[in-house]
Amino acid sequence: MGEYVGFYWTRPVNWAGLRKLPKDVDEAARNSKTIRYQCERVRRWVESEHGTLSREFVFIEHDPEEATAAIRRVLEQAIELCQERRCAFIYVNFGYVRLWRRHRYMWEMLKGSGLKLIDLHPIPLTIDGQRFDPIEHFEKWRDHEHLWKDEHRQAVRQAFAEALVKVPEGRGRFQAIADYLNDVRCIETLTGLQWTDETVRKFMDLRLSV
């Protein structure tokens, strides 16, 4: 028997429109299959140990390519709670899956926390009568992501070329192009964000360097 604090995280899925998660864990699990899986994996393990899951935290990593320090704020809350209540920190370690990179900020914080860590292997589970295999899920996710990126990249290039024709040169042109892409073409950047004058400038530099 023991007391645990669960921590679940995922990355944005731009092609599916998943870029934010509710703070409520159960609601987040309804929005994300990856979060739902982690909830089920951790809760079932804690129940099998006759333990108590004191609290659960969720986090979405907004930069799908690089691990960011934004995770620190949520991790600090979870770690502090574990230290106060002398709980173990429990999570699903997707680092065991070759398609999922370890979050370096999370790993560094946990290593230096002095907490008892329970890192569960991402084994397949039956959820709502359906078998969910994390490895198969991430493989399909990767294929969808690659296809979406190729299609979206082409659409962005076309919209950007159109913006260069529509928006005259002069002061404030980068912001005007950003406004055109956001408000007229309603197209996001390659990372699923709104355009800014800075992202327009970087994209223009990239086009010129190719």
Side-chain angles (χ1 to χ4, degrees):
M1 297 179 64
E3 193 172 355
Y4 305 88
V5 168
F7 190 90
Y8 321 131
W9 75 283
T10 189
R11 292 187 171 96
V13 185
N14 290 318
W15 55 266
L18 177 65
R19 300 183 185 91
K20 294 182 180 179
L21 280 179
K23 292 183 179 180
D24 179 78
V25 176
D26 290 321
E27 189 177 349
R30 288 191 287 271
N31 284 263
S32 167
K33 291 182 179 179
T34 304
I35 296 295
R36 172 70 187 282
Y37 168 80
Q38 292 171 82
C39 288
E40 292 289 339
R41 179 75 174 99
V42 166
R43 290 173 182 180
R44 295 181 193 184
W45 188 92
V46 171
E47 183 179 3
S48 72
E49 295 293 310
H50 305 289
T52 302
L53 194 56
S54 297
R55 188 172 171 188
E56 299 164 292
F57 293 82
V58 293
F59 176 79
I60 188 166
E61 177 54 77
H62 292 288
D63 188 333
E65 301 299 331
E66 298 292 338
T68 66
I71 200 171
R72 289 183 178 273
R73 294 191 295 271
V74 183
L75 272 176
E76 284 172 352
Q77 296 177 46
I79 290 172
E80 183 177 345
L81 180 60
C82 286
Q83 291 170 339
E84 289 178 355
R85 301 181 65 92
R86 298 183 180 179
C87 298
F89 184 102
I90 184 169
Y91 66 107
V92 179
N93 188 352
F94 288 115
Y96 293 120
V97 181
R98 60 185 176 83
L99 297 174
W100 186 282
R101 287 172 293 177
R102 174 183 288 169
H103 197 297
R104 61 186 179 88
Y105 282 104
M106 177 177 175
W107 181 242
E108 289 170 1
M109 288 186 71
L110 291 179
K111 281 198 306 181
S113 68
L115 298 177
K116 179 181 179 181
L117 305 177
I118 308 294
D119 61 334
L120 302 178
H121 284 252
I123 61 174
L125 292 179
T126 298
I127 302 175
D128 295 334
Q130 299 291 323
R131 183 177 184 273
F132 184 92
D133 185 330
I135 295 178
E136 292 178 0
H137 176 71
F138 293 142
E139 286 176 344
K140 291 178 182 178
W141 179 91
R142 180 190 58 184
D143 292 342
H144 278 294
E145 187 77 359
H146 287 169
L147 179 61
W148 180 86
K149 282 184 177 180
D150 290 341
E151 294 176 347
H152 188 63
R153 188 176 290 110
Q154 181 62 31
V156 167
R157 288 185 182 129
Q158 292 175 354
F160 199 88
E162 179 182 307
L164 291 177
V165 174
K166 297 283 187 180
V167 180
E169 294 189 16
R171 186 175 182 180
R173 191 186 188 204
F174 288 166
Q175 185 59 56
I177 290 175
D179 293 340
Y180 181 86
L181 294 171
N182 292 329
D183 302 332
V184 179
R185 288 302 307 272
C186 299
I187 192 167
E188 297 169 333
T189 67
L190 296 177
T191 55
L193 302 175
Q194 289 279 294
W195 290 89
T196 65
D197 59 346
E198 181 64 14
T199 53
V200 167
R201 182 188 66 77
K202 289 181 179 179
F203 191 80
M204 187 173 289
D205 290 343
L206 180 63
R207 289 176 76 253
L208 294 174
S209 65
V210 174

